[in-house]
């Protein structure tokens, strides 16, 4: 990934943005898209928009949510320990011993999530399930008065680990879900700059996805788009303990996943697959019998309906402080969305029909011959 774009992704990761507190990340998004968009603005909900070719037809909406899971302060006890509640879904067992930032009016405070050590537990305690509201944060201050001078009830809290590279093109961070999606939307806007487009493009960094797809609902209504792509992270199943029978076969580094199912318009699905094959972008397939649990749900149900697609970036260890993605998958996601948008014209009918009911397109295979091989 080029260093300039990599820095944007790092800045997004570093900007705290638990649901309802997204504006630090939105400021990064606005700065990233401003050189390439015709219009940039933010709505009362907090969604940030980058608009290209606003007079075009049809309107296409891209949605990647910038909010991350987190916590918020609920209570400070007399000894100065901070109790907290959840923003989004957490596995409470994973939170124990983690470093966190409490984001206060005067800046972030580093703290640790504490728990009684196993050496001192009674036998009945050792097998007890970890419950979030039993845990506490220690910021090193002594007494309630000392902590209350800095920390208020309702202050948001995020994990502290930032962005780091592993081997090759793999990266780890605490908030790839779904800041890589918001980043991919920004990258799509950058890739489309200077292109001749029929469609108007609304690249939206949405808010409050983790607590109910709320930003996608309001931004869909604002754009009035008839076609839309949600980009989110999806479950990779290439590590121990994952059930491919249940989730499917999805690997890190094998390209974005294109979803098919009730939440997905068949013509959008078909065009995404055809675009990927024509541009030689590796891709994988997934399916969903009902809602996908992504912004695509809210987008599909906007006003009279939106023809929606879902492109997912394979991710390991979702909703943990060590989420893992392949940066090439992220770049290929942006390339796929940009290529799709270039193909959309006003005369394409996205109404489901008998003609596109079997519009399945298989992903590339290692046995496929490249065009140059066929000439030989």
């Amino acid at each position: 990934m080029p260093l300039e774009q990599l820095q944007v992704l790092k800045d997004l990761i570093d900007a705290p943005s638990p649901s309802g507190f997204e504006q630090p990340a939105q400021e990064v998004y606005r700065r990233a898209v401003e050189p390439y968009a015709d219009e940039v603005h933010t709505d009362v909900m907090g969604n940030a928009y980058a608009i290209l070719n606003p007079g075009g037809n049809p309107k296409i909406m891209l949605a990647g949510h910038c909010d991350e899971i987190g916590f918020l302060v609920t209570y400070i006890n007399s000894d100065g320990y901070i109790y907290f509640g959840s923003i989004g879904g957490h596995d409470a067992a994973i939170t124990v011993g983690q470093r966190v930032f409490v984001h206060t009016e005067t800046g972030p405070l580093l703290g640790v999530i504490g728990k009684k050590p196993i050496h001192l537990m009674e036998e009945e305690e050792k097998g007890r399930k970890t419950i979030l509201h039993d845990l506490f944060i220690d910021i090193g201050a002594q007494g309630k008065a000392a902590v209350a001078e800095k920390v208020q009830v309702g202050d948001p809290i995020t994990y502290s680990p930032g962005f780091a590279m592993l081997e090759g093109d793999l990266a780890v961070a605490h908030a790839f879900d779904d800041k890589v999606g918001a980043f991919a939307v920004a990258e799509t806007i950058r890739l489309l700059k200077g292109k001749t487009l029929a469609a108007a493009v609304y690249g939206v960094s949405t808010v409050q996805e983790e607590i109910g797809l709320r930003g996608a609902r309001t931004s869909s209504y604002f754009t009035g788009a008839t076609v839309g792509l949600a980009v989110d992270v999806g479950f990779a199943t290439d590590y121990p303990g994952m059930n491919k029978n249940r989730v499917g076969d999805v690997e890190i580094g094998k390209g974005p996943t294109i979803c098919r199912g009730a939440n997905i318009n068949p013509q959008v699905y078909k065009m995404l697959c055809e675009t990927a094959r024509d541009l030689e972008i590796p891709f994988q397939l997934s399916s969903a019998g009902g809602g996908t649990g992504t912004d695509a749900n809210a987008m599909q149900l906007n006003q009279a309906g939106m023809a929606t697609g879902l492109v997912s970036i394979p991710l390991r260890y979702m909703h943990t402080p060590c989420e893992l993605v392949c940066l090439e998958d992220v770049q290929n996601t942006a390339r796929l969305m940009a290529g799709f948008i270039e193909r959309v014209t006003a005369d394409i009918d996205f109404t489901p029909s008998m003609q596109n009911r079997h519009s399945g397109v298989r992903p590339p295979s290692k046995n496929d011959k490249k065009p140059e091989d066929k000439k030989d």
Side-chain angles (χ1 to χ4, degrees):
M1 182 179 291
L3 289 179
E4 185 176 353
Q5 276 68 58
L6 184 60
Q7 189 59 53
V8 172
L9 179 56
K10 289 180 178 179
D11 289 346
L12 276 170
I13 294 297
D14 289 341
S17 61
S19 304
F21 301 89
E22 298 95 347
Q23 288 314 301
Q26 294 294 49
E27 181 58 30
V28 175
Y29 179 82
R30 288 188 289 264
R31 288 201 309 266
V33 297
E34 198 164 24
Y36 311 107
D38 297 320
E39 301 175 20
V40 177
H41 70 88
T42 304
D43 65 20
V44 70
M45 191 80 175
N47 301 297
Y49 300 77
I51 305 173
L52 271 177
N53 193 33
N57 185 34
K59 293 180 178 180
I60 301 176
M61 176 179 166
L62 307 177
H65 73 88
C66 73
D67 60 311
E68 60 182 296
I69 62 170
F71 313 97
L72 77 171
V73 175
T74 58
Y75 170 65
I76 304 168
N77 77 4
S78 59
D79 294 320
Y81 294 103
I82 299 168
Y83 288 80
F84 56 93
S86 175
I87 299 176
H90 292 268
D91 180 347
I94 290 174
T95 66
V96 176
Q98 297 292 339
R99 298 182 185 184
V100 295
F101 283 121
V102 181
H103 299 279
T104 73
E105 286 188 354
T106 56
L109 296 175
L110 184 64
V112 294
I113 298 178
K115 185 182 179 183
K116 183 194 295 186
I118 192 168
H119 317 67
L120 305 179
M121 288 183 183
E122 304 296 339
E123 284 302 316
E124 63 270 17
E125 291 181 293
K126 291 180 181 179
R128 188 180 301 164
K129 180 180 178 181
T130 300
I131 300 174
L132 206 63
H133 64 243
D134 288 339
L135 303 176
F136 55 86
I137 295 171
D138 184 350
I139 64 169
Q142 295 188 5
K144 183 171 185 175
V147 174
E149 285 181 2
K150 304 173 182 180
V151 178
Q152 299 180 51
V153 169
D155 281 344
I157 304 163
T158 59
Y159 290 122
S160 69
F163 179 98
M165 293 298 301
L166 301 180
E167 290 292 320
D169 211 22
L170 301 187
V172 62
H174 67 284
F176 277 143
D177 180 9
D178 178 39
K179 293 185 184 183
V180 286
F183 171 78
V185 172
E187 272 294 277
T188 303
I189 297 297
R190 185 182 70 84
L191 293 173
L192 290 173
K193 178 67 174 179
K195 303 286 187 179
T196 301
L197 303 175
V201 182
Y202 292 77
V204 190
S205 176
T206 61
V207 298
Q208 300 189 31
E209 189 270 357
E210 296 289 357
I211 58 172
L213 319 179
R214 298 158 68 89
R217 186 170 303 166
T218 57
S219 57
S220 295
Y221 192 92
F222 170 81
T223 65
T226 55
V227 183
L229 298 178
V231 54
D232 210 324
V233 293
F235 297 109
T237 58
D238 57 352
Y239 61 97
M242 293 300 287
N243 187 345
K244 294 183 180 181
N245 295 341
R246 176 184 176 187
V247 186
D249 189 2
V250 178
E251 298 183 46
I252 292 282
K254 294 295 181 70
T257 301
I258 301 173
C259 186
R260 189 182 188 193
N263 192 189
I264 307 304
N265 177 273
Q267 182 65 18
V268 171
Y269 165 79
K270 180 180 180 181
M271 287 182 62
L272 282 169
C273 293
E274 290 174 344
T275 300
R277 291 186 67 83
D278 289 348
L279 298 180
E280 297 186 356
I281 298 172
F283 69 98
Q284 306 174 81
L285 298 180
S286 65
S287 61
T292 57
T294 70
D295 279 346
N297 287 12
M299 294 163 68
Q300 183 189 33
L301 300 178
N302 173 57
Q303 299 187 45
M306 185 189 301
T308 55
L310 173 62
V311 182
S312 299
I313 299 166
L315 177 137
R316 295 176 186 160
Y317 323 127
M318 192 178 296
H319 282 207
T320 75
C322 55
E323 296 177 333
L324 189 151
V325 299
C326 173
L327 295 183
E328 187 175 8
D329 289 341
V330 180
Q331 290 179 287
N332 279 329
T333 298
R335 289 181 57 214
L336 174 59
M337 294 195 297
F340 170 87
I341 289 168
E342 287 187 79
R343 291 167 178 246
V344 175
T345 58
D347 60 348
I348 296 177
D349 185 3
F350 289 95
T351 305
S353 67
M354 293 296 290
Q355 283 68 41
N356 60 29
R357 74 191 191 283
H358 296 308
S359 57
V361 181
R362 67 174 177 83
S365 165
K366 63 182 179 181
N367 298 320
D368 287 345
K369 291 183 178 181
K370 295 183 178 179
E372 59 267 27
D373 296 333
K374 295 179 182 178
K375 293 178 183 177
D376 298 335

